[in-house]
DNA sequence: CAGTGGTCTAGACCACGAG
DNA sequence: TCGTGGTCTAGACCACTGG
């Protein structure tokens, strides 16, 4: 590790086509990532200082810094000057809505108070094919399905259907969810050790069917935003499939392009 | 500039409340940005090497590097190892669809061929209030309105209404647009010196009105994605307002959250 | 081969937060 | 006052590109 920066790290797979050359700081990044996955440092924890990590990995502080820089821009770590570097968590006020992009058309911030949550049901099912595939499961594997409605100021705004793999979320019940206040992703961290790191969404415009119309208090056929989200944990492992129907009469989905 | 890093740079405005302390590399970033705005280097051009810039600004190469790093992650510059650092441009194949997030539900890449474009009209108008405000103009100021339809494989997919400030885009005509192949934002760069740097979109689900239904070959009332985009040039100056209606029967709007 | 960006190091000093 | 991250520097060497 202290030799040339691009040492391929004596690995198996000698006849592989992959170049597998990577800069030292990328290797360090990988090592830190492994510690995160292994739970050596939990969400909210402070990780060792840059100098400590530099000593542990036998590299200079600047190299550790660059690794941490990237992990911080990926939102896996949070740097706080004068205090230390911390494992990112969903249990923070200003991070609450990192994955919820629905904002009111009017009005300043989302200081309309938090969303009111009403859980419809929470069932243990066998995964249909179209749910199993994106989650990397096999059809028929055990999954949890949660359905709920989010409302703002008494007006229903979101109808969601959440699919979770049965293994990692063993023990999740309606009571667990109902008795919990705070972000659902924070619950996943504290109770199941599952941290959502990134997500991809597919958005369409659809017409409300009878059930959705009733639950969202709109006429049948009313245009709704369909948001299908696949969320990933550390190793790009998909861990949640979420289908949401958003009312967009008084709200909009905000997106920044750059 | 070669003294302490946080020297406020002997500037006017002595009684300002602003702290105005900023790291050297941020100041360098600002200077590079000014050269970009001033057109010292045009889109596609190679900018001076890191050492040249370091000499010009009387700082070390590492400081210039950090400034360029940020400009590169903001997509204002593109680094090419062994060649140099270049001013980003929309006139590149792999950057074509940086702002168009509509992808086919099935199918590999967007190798369905490029979009077919049909311009409906291009008119010089006085800005209505709801157009003037986001563009930072006054109601009644001269604006250009372009309407067009994009189709993929013969099927119309997008109906767009584009509003541009009359000043910067003086001389833009239907012929200019019609005779141009390639990305519209590339045309803006080469003909008007306007480079779009970032954009914000507001997305809703709406029902097709009679006009939209006819132009997009869908029944009236069909759910469509309404995408309202405000695009900005260098100084966070809004330069384009675009209202699009997207068919999402066979396509979806893709978004990555992190 | 020369020129460019990319990586790594080592050391100095600053800014911030907390005791 | 101390420990943390933040900035800046200077110099060495590597990797890629093109003549």
């Amino acid at each position: 590790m202290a030799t040339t920066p691009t040492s391929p790290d004596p690995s198996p797979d000698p006849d592989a086509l992959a170049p597998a050359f990577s800069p030292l700081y990328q290797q360090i990044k990988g090592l830190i990532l492994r510690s995160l996955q292994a739970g050596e440092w939990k969400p909210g924890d402070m990780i060792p200082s840059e100098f400590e990590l530099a000593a542990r990995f036998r590299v200079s502080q600047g190299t550790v810094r660059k690794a941490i820089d990237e992990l911080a821009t990926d939102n896996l770590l949070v740097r706080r000057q004068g205090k230390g570097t911390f494992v990112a968590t969903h249990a923070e006020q200003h991070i609450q809505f990192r994955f919820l992009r629905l904002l009111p058309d009017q009005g300043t911030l989302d200081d309309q108070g938090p969303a009111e949550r009403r859980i419809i049901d929470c069932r243990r099912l066998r995964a249909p094919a179209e749910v199993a595939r994106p989650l990397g499961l096999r059809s028929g594997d055990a999954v949890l399905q949660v359905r709920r409605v989010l409302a703002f100021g008494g007006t229903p705004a979101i109808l969601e259907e959440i699919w979770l793999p049965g293994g990692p979320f063993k023990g999740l019940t309606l009571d667990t969810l109902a008795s919990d206040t705070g972000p659902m992703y924070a619950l996943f961290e504290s109770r199941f050790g599952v941290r959502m790191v990134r997500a991809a969404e597919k958005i369409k415009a659809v017409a409300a069917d009878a059930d959705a119309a009733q639950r969202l208090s709109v006429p049948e056929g009313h245009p709704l935003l369909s948001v299908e989200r696949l969320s990933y944990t550390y190793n790009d492992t998909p861990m949640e499939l979420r289908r949401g129907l958003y009312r967009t009469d008084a709200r909009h989905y905000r997106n920044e392009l750059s």
Side-chain angles (χ1 to χ4, degrees), chain A:
Chain A
M1 190 75 72
T3 58
T4 66
T6 52
S7 63
D9 198 41
S11 56
D13 203 17
D15 61 354
L17 294 173
F21 288 95
S22 75
L24 237 196
Y25 76 89
Q26 288 286 3
Q27 300 176 36
I28 302 300
K29 186 178 171 183
L31 292 175
I32 296 176
L33 209 40
R34 272 212 287 138
S35 290
L36 286 171
Q37 294 171 43
E40 179 175 343
W41 314 302
K42 302 220 175 320
D45 284 2
M46 176 175 154
I47 72 171
S49 77
E50 297 181 348
F51 276 105
E52 282 180 75
L53 290 173
R56 182 208 281 204
F57 299 133
R58 319 296 293 277
V59 298
S60 80
Q61 181 242 14
T63 301
V64 170
R65 162 167 289 267
K66 183 144 188 183
I68 293 180
D69 276 345
E70 294 209 349
L71 291 168
T73 58
D74 291 347
N75 293 309
L76 296 182
L77 296 176
V78 177
R79 322 189 76 139
R80 284 198 251 273
Q81 178 165 161
K83 297 207 277 191
T85 301
F86 299 79
V87 182
T89 173
H90 286 274
E92 293 179 22
Q93 281 307 80
H94 58 289
I95 303 293
Q96 293 274 25
F97 295 109
R98 188 147 71 87
F99 285 72
L100 180 55
R101 310 286 274 261
L102 194 64
L103 301 181
D105 289 342
Q106 320 289 343
T108 55
L109 287 178
D110 230 16
D111 298 39
Q112 55 190 349
E116 305 126 34
R117 298 173 292 185
R118 194 169 59 76
I119 298 174
I120 299 170
D121 53 22
C122 174
R123 295 179 294 174
R124 174 166 246 87
L125 301 173
R126 307 181 82 62
E130 73 273 18
V131 168
R133 192 171 345 99
L135 285 176
L137 305 175
R138 274 175 301 217
S139 291
D141 283 357
V143 289
L144 285 159
Q145 186 213 48
V146 179
R147 294 191 300 161
R148 66 171 184 172
V149 173
L150 299 186
F152 295 95
T155 306
I158 300 179
L159 170 61
E160 270 182 333
E161 184 178 277
I162 301 169
W163 298 87
L164 301 165
F169 289 93
K170 196 188 310 269
L172 177 62
T173 65
L174 194 150
D175 283 349
T176 319
L177 291 167
S179 65
D180 180 77
T181 140
M184 185 179 285
Y185 285 174
L187 177 72
F188 290 174
E189 288 176 2
S190 56
R191 296 284 294 256
F192 304 97
V194 174
R195 170 164 168 76
M196 301 302 182
V197 159
R198 67 177 192 88
E201 293 189 332
K202 294 183 187 180
I203 303 172
K204 286 171 174 274
V206 301
D209 62 18
D211 181 63
Q214 187 261 314
R215 296 193 187 279
L216 289 173
S217 309
V218 294
E220 203 171 326
H222 191 79
L224 296 174
L225 216 56
S226 159
V227 179
E228 181 177 311
R229 178 197 301 171
L230 189 58
S231 299
Y232 298 82
T233 345
Y234 284 118
N235 264 79
D236 274 334
T237 309
M239 277 302 250
E240 182 203 56
L241 177 64
R242 191 180 281 221
R243 287 187 224 266
L245 293 174
Y246 296 7
R247 274 185 60 174
T248 54
D249 359 313
R251 323 182 84 75
H252 62 272
Y253 182 104
R254 178 155 199 84
N255 197 24
E256 305 283 336
L257 308 181
S258 63

